[in-house]
Amino acid sequence: MPRKTEARDWAIATAERLFRIQGYTATGLKQIIEESGSPKGSFYFHFPRGKAQLAEEAIDRYLATRIALLRNISANTAGDPLNFVHQIFGAFAAEMVASDFQYGCLMQNLANELPALDLELTKRIARGFVDSTEIVAEHFRGCGFTSARASSAAAALVAAVEGARTIARLERTPAIFEALADVSVQGWATPKG
């Protein structure tokens, strides 16, 4: 049996994985508890508000990983918007391939389901997209983009990544990420595009 802190971490990781694969509504607490190996009593000790609280923790965990990835790519491509864009598309394509095209974006999956279900979770997801987009815009500003151009290019890039994940999942190929990288070569990732 896992220790209490491990049980909590495993429950969050399991919820994140299941929400990414099957969504929020289709994922039951029973399935999360069984697959994480968390004792039921321990689960409610760690998550007294149940599934909504677990979803908050899963969003926070997912967002921390996503932000760390974007910051790392940004640091490795300082001053180079084209390489930055290529590496972002490459990283998300690699994740899709590694998951055998099972993983969608946790925030996108929940955003498609939650507005009618939970306003607080919806706000948390929206903040996640805003934070991700701002990291991308910050990189573009560092590459000489005007503030307006950086913001619009960042919003377009984040939207493209999210749409690409959906298409890649359906087609079971990373080809859409490659197509988007080719579009960026044609001027999308340039300061004056």
Side-chain angles (χ1 to χ4, degrees):
M1 182 180 298
R3 293 185 319 214
K4 285 186 180 183
T5 55
E6 287 177 339
R8 182 179 187 286
D9 292 343
W10 290 350
I12 294 168
T14 301
E16 178 187 341
R17 178 178 55 79
L18 292 172
F19 293 158
R20 291 184 74 185
I21 293 170
Q22 51 192 51
Y24 183 83
T25 308
T27 302
L29 285 179
K30 181 179 178 189
Q31 181 184 15
I32 294 168
I33 291 168
E34 287 175 2
E35 289 193 25
S36 69
S38 301
K40 193 172 188 176
S42 170
F43 178 87
Y44 286 105
F45 171 77
H46 291 299
F47 309 102
R49 291 186 293 111
K51 189 175 177 181
Q53 183 178 358
L54 182 59
E56 290 170 4
E57 300 277 347
I59 292 164
D60 291 347
R61 180 180 189 271
Y62 176 81
L63 188 57
T65 301
R66 179 182 174 119
I67 286 175
L69 172 70
L70 292 172
R71 288 198 187 285
N72 185 47
I73 293 171
S74 180
N76 290 333
T77 59
D80 187 349
L82 190 57
N83 194 19
F84 176 64
V85 170
H86 277 256
Q87 285 197 29
I88 287 174
F89 286 135
F92 285 101
E95 180 189 47
M96 293 299 298
V97 171
S99 77
D100 194 29
F101 301 95
Q102 296 299 305
Y103 282 179
C105 170
L106 175 74
M107 296 186 312
Q108 181 187 31
N109 284 359
L110 298 184
N112 288 331
E113 295 182 66
L114 290 177
L117 300 175
D118 191 311
L119 182 60
E120 289 306 312
L121 282 175
T122 301
K123 287 179 184 177
R124 190 181 219 103
I125 294 163
R127 280 193 308 270
F129 281 119
V130 167
D131 292 347
S132 298
T133 304
E134 180 51 34
I135 292 167
V136 176
E138 180 182 298
H139 183 86
F140 286 149
R141 285 191 298 272
C143 294
F145 287 47
T146 65
S147 184
R149 173 74 176 142
S151 294
S152 64
L157 176 61
V158 170
V161 166
E162 296 307 325
R165 285 197 216 222
T166 299
I167 293 167
R169 252 180 124 178
L170 291 171
E171 295 180 349
R172 299 189 52 76
T173 174
I176 188 65
F177 292 102
E178 295 160 12
L180 287 167
D182 287 345
V183 168
S184 67
V185 170
Q186 298 168 18
W188 186 69
T190 60
K192 302 206 187 233

